[in-house]
Amino acid sequence: MKRSNVGYALVLIAALMWGTIGIFVNGISAMGVSSQSMAAFRLLTGAIMMAPVLAFMGSRSNSSEGRAATPWALFKASPKELVPCALVGVVGLAIANTCYYECMREVGMSTASVLLYTSPVFGVALGRVLYREDVTLNKLIAIVFNVLGCVLAVTSGDLSGFHFSVWGVASGVIAGLCGALLAVFSRMATKTLHPLAVTFWGFVFGGAVMAVITAPWVDMAAAMSAQLILLFVGFGLVPTALAYICYMQGLSMDLETSKVPVVASFETVATVVVGIGVYAEPAGAIKVLGIVLVLASIVIMNTDFSKLRNSAIVKRIVESMTFKPNAWWTEKSQDMDLFRERTGIALEPTVQESPWYFVR
């Protein structure tokens, strides 16, 4: 399998894990913890869980990786290497989350969700400007399918709950831009640092900024219980540490920046499926159509139609469906001759026969 295909598969797995966020958010918010406090502790918990993993992996590293085999090997990073990690944490995680929550507060969850799905549009634009990635027809079609599919999957086609405010819309668009920039900064960071190290430092920087912005300690102290700790352990492990490990590892495999947000939008499908399966939310034909469009956008974005068009199987299908007038006329003439030999009756067509008679 191609290295890039493995990378896209890892991003898809990460999106699947992100789709479980609702399970933990519902449980934690029911205990009185605000969304902002939740986001801060999610990143900090993820960093705490990543620390022993980095220590273990660092102690097993070899000289070919350019670092001595010590528990601190993967933690070491120069200021220059930490800059893209800080951008991952501050811009791609902290600012993205803060703007998303602001958008939800200003214009509601439905409008905020739709605005967040501008991320694939920014992904294609950034890929073109920064990496000279081609803006192809299938990418544009995939983006249209993706945005429309996400809107239908989240809203079930009911747009009556949409609200407008300048700051609300602006913060939602900024959150979408930050989501696309996450792929850009992660790609930069993983060129010089191990994906695990990028994930850890991203959580540290993002969690620290979120903690300063939200001051979550009061919420956490008031709601502290064994159940809350267990929920945060799961929250920090599945949709945070494991998900971002897969995401960063995937981005280190030379993926196209323009394609990553579309593949990552599989999170929407996973979220809707969790809502239907776990919380018995109604499915509905429109919501199912939205899921199908999202899946179709991922397939379209990652399909090279020029290679597909020139593949052997497509050529055979096209050949089997192509009308060949000479062969058709030869076969028909042979049938008429055979009929005359067996019956002695010569068929005399009432009109001039030709290979194109059938289109008259």
Side-chain angles (χ1 to χ4, degrees):
M1 184 181 290
K2 288 175 60 178
R3 176 180 168 85
S4 61
N5 289 341
V6 175
Y8 290 122
L10 288 172
V11 173
L12 200 66
I13 293 170
L16 179 62
M17 293 182 186
W18 287 330
T20 65
I21 287 176
I23 297 174
F24 300 100
V25 167
N26 287 340
I28 295 172
S29 60
M31 303 180 73
V33 180
S34 69
S35 299
Q36 294 88 338
S37 300
M38 208 181 305
F41 268 95
R42 174 194 176 193
L43 297 178
L44 294 175
T45 304
I48 292 170
M49 289 186 171
M50 287 294 302
V53 177
L54 255 68
F56 175 76
M57 294 295 292
S59 64
R60 295 174 62 87
S61 63
N62 53 55
S63 57
S64 64
E65 295 171 337
R67 301 177 189 272
T70 67
W72 312 110
L74 294 182
F75 289 96
K76 295 178 181 178
S78 67
K80 184 178 179 180
E81 291 174 325
L82 285 176
V83 169
C85 294
L87 291 172
V88 166
V90 176
V91 177
L93 298 176
I95 295 179
N97 276 286
T98 302
C99 287
Y100 184 55
Y101 296 141
E102 278 294 302
C103 184
M104 284 194 294
R105 184 176 64 83
E106 287 285 323
V107 296
M109 184 173 292
S110 296
T111 309
S113 298
V114 172
L115 291 171
L116 186 64
Y117 300 132
T118 56
S119 184
V121 179
F122 288 118
V124 170
L126 291 171
R128 177 60 183 172
V129 173
L130 299 177
Y131 302 107
R132 294 295 185 266
E133 295 174 359
D134 294 333
V135 181
T136 59
L137 179 61
N138 62 311
K139 284 185 180 181
L140 297 177
I141 294 173
I143 288 175
V144 173
F145 275 40
N146 188 264
V147 174
L148 180 59
C150 288
V151 171
L152 294 179
V154 171
T155 66
S156 295
D158 183 8
L159 305 181
S160 60
F162 273 41
H163 304 285
F164 178 84
S165 88
V166 174
W167 170 236
V169 171
S171 58
V173 172
I174 293 171
L177 174 60
C178 290
L181 287 172
L182 174 62
V184 174
F185 296 140
S186 299
R187 181 174 171 178
M188 292 168 52
T190 52
K191 287 186 180 297
T192 56
L193 285 179
H194 194 285
L196 292 178
V198 175
T199 306
F200 171 77
W201 287 114
F203 287 164
V204 170
F205 285 112
V209 170
M210 287 294 294
V212 171
I213 293 174
T214 63
W217 323 112
V218 177
D219 277 356
M220 291 298 298
M224 185 57 64
S225 66
Q227 183 181 359
L228 182 65
I229 294 174
L230 288 175
L231 283 170
F232 263 111
V233 168
F235 199 17
L237 179 63
V238 179
T240 308
L242 293 178
Y244 278 99
I245 287 172
C246 291
Y247 184 75
M248 296 297 178
Q249 188 67 47
L251 289 176
S252 68
M253 296 181 176
D254 303 321
L255 306 188
E256 289 190 40
T257 302
S258 56
K259 293 184 178 181
V260 172
V262 172
V263 177
S265 69
F266 186 73
E267 176 189 356
T268 303
V269 175
T271 301
V272 171
V273 171
V274 167
I276 294 172
V278 177
Y279 299 105
E281 295 178 356
I286 295 179
K287 187 172 288 189
V288 173
L289 174 61
I291 292 174
V292 171
L293 288 175
V294 172
L295 296 176
S297 72
I298 295 173
V299 173
I300 293 170
M301 180 65 86
N302 292 283
T303 300
D304 188 337
F305 287 97
S306 61
K307 290 183 179 179
L308 182 64
R309 187 167 54 249
N310 296 323
S311 64
I313 185 169
V314 171
K315 285 183 177 179
R316 288 187 178 182
I317 293 173
V318 171
E319 184 179 356
S320 67
M321 298 176 64
T322 302
F323 176 71
K324 300 176 180 178
N326 291 335
W328 174 81
W329 177 242
T330 300
E331 182 180 354
K332 186 172 182 180
S333 299
Q334 290 172 349
D335 291 341
M336 293 173 67
D337 292 341
L338 181 61
F339 182 80
R340 185 174 58 251
E341 289 176 5
R342 290 183 177 179
T343 64
I345 302 173
L347 294 176
E348 295 293 340
T350 57
V351 296
Q352 179 71 32
E353 289 283 1
S354 78
W356 307 107
Y357 175 66
F358 72 100
V359 298
R360 291 185 178 181

